[in-house]
Amino acid sequence: MTAGLWQHWVLPGIWITVQLTVYSAALAAAVAFGIGIARTHRSRLVRFLAAAYTEIFRGTSALVLMFWLFFVLPPLAGWQLVPMWAAVLALGLSYGAYGAEIVRGALNSVAPAQREAGIALSFTPWQRMRLVLLPQAVPEMIPPFCNLLIELLKGTALVSLLGVGDVSFAAYLVRLATQDSAQIYSVTLVIYFVLAFGITRGMKALERRTKANLGVTAK
């Protein structure tokens, strides 16, 4: 593989993959916390709506949703999403549904006595969530969130089907140009591994920091 192919296709593809991962992860995190907290709400209606969202987006394909947002939504809404933002929406909404279950499970794992202590201190529901429940639940969320984030990174390869120039699409172009599949796809595997390894180390550092704030030593 020549330096020109690396410079003009592969490196820009890596940057687009990183952007897709960051933007989709930010949306997925917002969805996960919003829906996950709603799953523990006192109102049955709120819990039902949050559960419906989770089931719908966990039960649909992120790829088909991506195509729907890009090809079906424009005639209905009267405006066109660029491929990258259609991909971010599809990935963020889909993976956010999985993250919501992580948030719900972590919140429910907090000892009931902690909730009762917040009530005894006359905390509002939001104060109990922000000051008591979330600080204890977040460290438990980080390991499964790390796995989900790595899955999201690998899921960004789906955007190549919309012609977005991520690292997978760049690898396809390089293969067409060089007729050498072994080299470019071996390099692509290494690129994804390096990105995933960076995510793993960063999330482990975050886990240690959040547990240290609670006086717990991370394994």
Side-chain angles (χ1 to χ4, degrees):
M1 184 169 57
T2 65
L5 292 176
W6 180 266
Q7 180 179 356
H8 296 295
W9 287 349
V10 179
L11 287 180
I14 295 172
W15 174 235
I16 289 177
T17 294
V18 170
Q19 290 183 79
L20 282 166
T21 303
V22 171
Y23 297 151
S24 300
L27 176 58
V31 170
F33 277 95
I35 300 299
I37 291 173
R39 291 293 306 272
T40 67
H41 199 274
R42 292 175 297 175
S43 169
R44 180 176 293 181
L45 176 61
V46 173
R47 293 199 306 271
F48 172 79
L49 293 175
Y53 175 93
T54 302
E55 294 303 324
I56 290 170
F57 281 91
R58 284 195 309 176
T60 54
S61 165
L63 177 60
V64 175
L65 178 60
M66 197 181 301
F67 285 158
W68 191 91
L69 289 170
F70 187 67
F71 294 111
V72 179
L73 183 61
L76 298 177
W79 43 267
Q80 176 74 57
L81 281 171
V82 298
M84 183 165 181
W85 291 114
V88 168
L89 274 177
L91 294 171
L93 295 175
S94 297
Y95 284 87
Y98 291 98
E101 285 299 284
I102 295 174
V103 173
R104 181 188 65 83
L107 289 173
N108 287 338
S109 70
V110 177
Q114 299 294 324
R115 300 173 185 268
E116 295 168 3
I119 295 172
L121 292 171
S122 300
F123 284 172
T124 65
W126 169 240
Q127 286 176 322
R128 292 199 299 271
M129 181 63 66
R130 182 172 60 88
L131 300 175
V132 179
L133 299 179
L134 281 177
Q136 297 181 69
V138 165
E140 303 304 319
M141 300 177 195
I142 292 177
F145 268 150
C146 179
N147 291 333
L148 191 61
L149 187 54
I150 292 173
E151 287 299 319
L152 174 58
L153 166 67
K154 294 186 288 186
T156 60
L158 296 174
V159 307
S160 62
L161 297 176
L162 292 181
V164 179
D166 73 316
V167 69
S168 298
F169 189 72
Y172 172 72
L173 294 179
V174 171
R175 184 185 69 81
L176 291 180
T178 63
Q179 298 300 310
D180 184 357
S181 300
Q183 182 184 26
I184 183 55
Y185 284 121
S186 297
V187 169
T188 304
L189 284 175
V190 172
I191 290 170
Y192 276 111
F193 171 77
V194 170
L195 292 175
F197 184 77
I199 289 172
T200 301
R201 301 312 301 172
M203 294 296 279
K204 283 187 178 296
L206 181 61
E207 182 184 5
R208 287 194 296 269
R209 181 172 180 178
T210 55
K211 287 191 173 182
N213 291 337
L214 296 177
V216 177
T217 301
K219 295 181 181 180

